[in-house]
Amino acid sequence: DVQLQASGGGLVQAGGSLRLSCAASGFTFDDYAVAWFRQAPGKEREGVSCINNSDGNSYYADSVKGRFTISRDDAKNTVYLLMNTLKPEDTAVYYCAADWEPITLGSMFDPYHYDYWGQGTLVTVSS
């Protein structure tokens, strides 16, 4: 049974940091491209960051570039999102997603590219 479990969300003050984790079970994570998306109340789901399975390259949305870092620990079957210098506008439910097909520039932040999704973890940044 393929599952993704996202965790690590919480309440943090602006300027603070959080590290989200996405643990996979039922499949080998290093064969999959993995992405983090977020969805704020009343807004569409948006891509935040992703890491490719074919070449290990990582990509970031402009809004988080320089503040967020995605990484993977294949031995633990886990992908992380380290979020620094958090802003109130980063408040959202964060989801991890995975797909065995390598991502492209056109698909990396397309939710329909990803077959597997975690349940989401809430990040709240207070001002």
Side-chain angles (χ1 to χ4, degrees):
D1 189 23
V2 173
Q3 287 191 341
L4 296 178
Q5 180 74 34
S7 61
L11 174 64
V12 63
Q13 288 188 331
S17 299
L18 281 175
R19 190 180 75 161
L20 306 183
S21 299
C22 177
S25 60
F27 64 98
T28 304
F29 224 4
D30 59 0
D31 290 337
Y32 286 68
V34 181
W36 286 95
F37 287 78
R38 66 185 181 186
Q39 188 164 19
K43 294 188 176 181
E44 292 188 355
R45 190 168 298 192
E46 64 172 350
V48 174
S49 181
C50 56
I51 187 165
N52 212 348
N53 52 338
S54 59
D55 54 17
N57 286 339
S58 55
Y59 304 89
Y60 299 91
D62 288 343
S63 58
V64 306
K65 202 170 292 184
R67 300 188 297 122
F68 290 12
T69 303
I70 191 170
S71 62
R72 64 194 307 160
D73 185 337
D74 291 332
K76 295 184 178 180
N77 229 21
T78 301
V79 170
Y80 302 99
L81 185 68
L82 176 61
M83 307 185 296
N84 293 324
T85 320
L86 283 161
K87 305 175 181 179
E89 51 263 44
D90 294 318
T91 295
V93 177
Y94 284 71
Y95 300 88
C96 59
D99 197 88
W100 68 272
E101 285 195 16
I103 55 177
T104 65
L105 290 180
S107 70
M108 61 181 178
F109 291 148
D110 178 0
Y112 293 101
H113 174 84
Y114 298 90
D115 283 342
Y116 304 108
W117 289 82
Q119 85 290 0
T121 184
L122 176 62
V123 172
T124 304
V125 184
S126 62
S127 56

